[in-house]
Amino acid sequence: MSISVNQITKTFGKQIALNNISFSIEKGEIVGFLGPNGAGKSTMMRILTTFYKADSGEAAVNGHHVEQSEQDVKRSIGYLPEHNPLYPEMYVREYLTFNAEVYKMPKNRIDEVIDQTGLGPESHKKIGQLSKGYKQRVGLAAALLHDPEVLILDEPTTGLDPNQLVEIRKLIQEIGKEKTILLSTHIMKEVEAVCDRVILINKGQIVADKKLEELRATQEQIIEVEFDYRVEEQLLNQLPNITKVKNTGGFIYELTFYTAKDMRPAVFDFAHDNELKTLQLSRKNKNLENLFTELTS
């Protein structure tokens, strides 16, 4: 087991940041730790990296208890915090050399991580001259220097432009072929693009833990329809395979079905049989965005 969290609770004064949460991550998984701002993501990351101590519960990385074996945990983890702590006046290679000396790593390891993170063309520059995307690469290179088994990335794509986003996503996926990655974010597209699994946290509690392939394969579908008149919900509840009816405003309804069959023709026939006009009709798969909205609203 790469990461094990068992009944962790953390408070700051009267505020409960984490409320008795538990999860585990197997070796080789890329897991998205997803939640709205203030949900407790960064607090959990800081407990796993030994910066915070939990009020109660236990956590371990690669079998090392985060409170009893701090140095072993730090050797096992490569950490990229949300606010990447770089020294803008230092050159890229100079900064990585400094970090390599801290970890007592050989000099050839610097060339390896520069190559791995695609920093070669920029390695002669000062960090302050780099784009945000390349600064993130420097942070990743520093996190990889001691060849850790686990990478913990806190909001690694915040502030990147679309091209930089694609580059960092590819880099994380490539690194994930050899390492376990826990990636904290509030951006759903990041999880869908990079991760194998998502753990969704809200108000300090885990509200979902799903494999992405499971989420994509679900038979649940949502159909949004707008009629020209208001319809009684009990009438809509008579549609086959329907599990939920929600009026989202005016004459617009969100209908949730559980079936692999496309239910749009059935909704259209319903409108025809009840002498209603269908002003709009669209289908949405039950994706991560729907799940996020449903569980955090």
Side-chain angles (χ1 to χ4, degrees):
M1 195 73 66
S2 287
I3 295 175
S4 174
V5 173
N6 185 30
Q7 297 182 322
I8 287 286
T9 293
K10 178 66 178 175
T11 59
F12 297 96
K14 294 182 179 180
Q15 181 185 357
I16 301 174
L18 297 170
N19 189 3
N20 196 38
I21 74 169
S22 300
F23 63 89
S24 60
I25 299 174
E26 299 285 349
K27 185 176 181 179
E29 282 192 286
I30 304 179
V31 177
F33 200 41
L34 178 64
N37 290 326
K41 303 186 300 297
S42 292
T43 300
M44 188 68 251
M45 298 286 193
R46 288 167 188 164
I47 288 172
L48 288 173
T49 51
T50 76
F51 287 99
Y52 286 168
K53 292 189 183 301
D55 298 337
S56 61
E58 294 184 341
V61 179
N62 288 328
H64 306 299
H65 193 284
V66 295
E67 292 189 16
Q68 297 169 6
S69 307
E70 285 190 22
Q71 292 307 314
D72 290 325
V73 170
K74 287 175 181 176
R75 278 190 285 269
S76 296
I77 286 177
Y79 180 42
L80 180 64
E82 181 178 1
H83 302 292
N84 195 355
L86 300 173
Y87 296 95
E89 71 281 2
M90 293 182 78
Y91 290 93
V92 172
R93 190 174 288 274
E94 178 188 13
Y95 174 73
L96 293 176
T97 300
F98 167 74
N99 279 274
E101 289 171 354
V102 170
Y103 287 113
K104 297 181 171 59
M105 299 301 294
K107 287 187 176 180
N108 67 317
R109 182 62 186 152
I110 297 165
D111 291 321
E112 289 174 2
V113 296
I114 284 175
D115 183 60
Q116 186 177 8
T117 55
L119 275 169
E122 306 293 307
S123 61
H124 64 286
K125 292 183 179 179
K126 285 188 174 183
I127 292 172
Q129 296 176 300
L130 302 179
S131 67
K132 179 70 186 290
Y134 272 101
K135 286 176 181 174
Q136 289 297 80
R137 288 173 186 259
V138 173
L140 277 170
L144 289 165
L145 265 172
H146 58 298
D147 198 21
E149 295 179 56
V150 175
L151 269 184
I152 292 183
L153 311 177
D154 195 355
E155 304 281 359
T157 58
T158 299
L160 302 184
D161 67 34
N163 290 331
Q164 293 168 343
L165 274 173
V166 172
E167 291 168 359
I168 295 298
R169 282 177 188 167
K170 286 180 180 176
L171 180 54
I172 291 170
Q173 285 176 310
E174 198 63 32
I175 294 168
K177 292 176 181 178
E178 300 176 355
K179 303 188 182 298
T180 303
I181 297 179
L182 179 61
L183 184 155
S184 164
T185 183
H186 64 280
I187 304 170
M188 287 159 285
K189 287 184 179 178
E190 292 311 301
V191 175
E192 290 184 305
V194 173
C195 300
D196 310 311
R197 173 179 152 210
V198 59
I199 296 173
L200 181 56
I201 184 171
N202 186 44
K203 297 178 181 177
Q205 293 184 303
I206 290 176
V207 292
D209 185 346
K210 290 180 176 288
K211 294 275 190 183
L212 265 293
E213 61 184 23
E214 175 190 344
L215 196 58
R216 293 185 185 110
T218 183
Q219 293 189 42
E220 196 165 40
Q221 63 181 279
I222 297 171
I223 290 177
E224 188 174 73
V225 59
E226 182 178 5
F227 301 116
D228 60 338
Y229 288 101
R230 191 172 185 86
V231 182
E232 291 295 328
E233 290 188 13
Q234 64 185 46
L235 194 59
L236 288 164
N237 273 313
Q238 294 174 15
L239 283 162
N241 305 308
I242 196 159
T243 59
K244 184 179 177 183
V245 174
K246 181 181 178 182
N247 177 246
T248 58
F251 306 144
I252 302 173
Y253 297 85
E254 195 174 81
L255 311 177
T256 304
F257 298 88
Y258 190 82
T259 176
K261 181 182 178 182
D262 187 349
M263 293 304 294
R264 284 175 295 183
V267 175
F268 186 83
D269 290 343
F270 167 86
H272 179 267
D273 294 344
N274 288 277
E275 298 181 347
L276 296 164
K277 288 183 180 178
T278 305
L279 303 182
Q280 64 165 318
L281 182 65
S282 60
R283 172 177 167 169
K284 298 189 289 184
N285 288 327
K286 183 75 172 183
N287 59 15
L288 189 55
E289 186 171 356
N290 303 137
L291 183 68
F292 183 92
T293 303
E294 182 180 311
L295 295 178
T296 61
S297 60

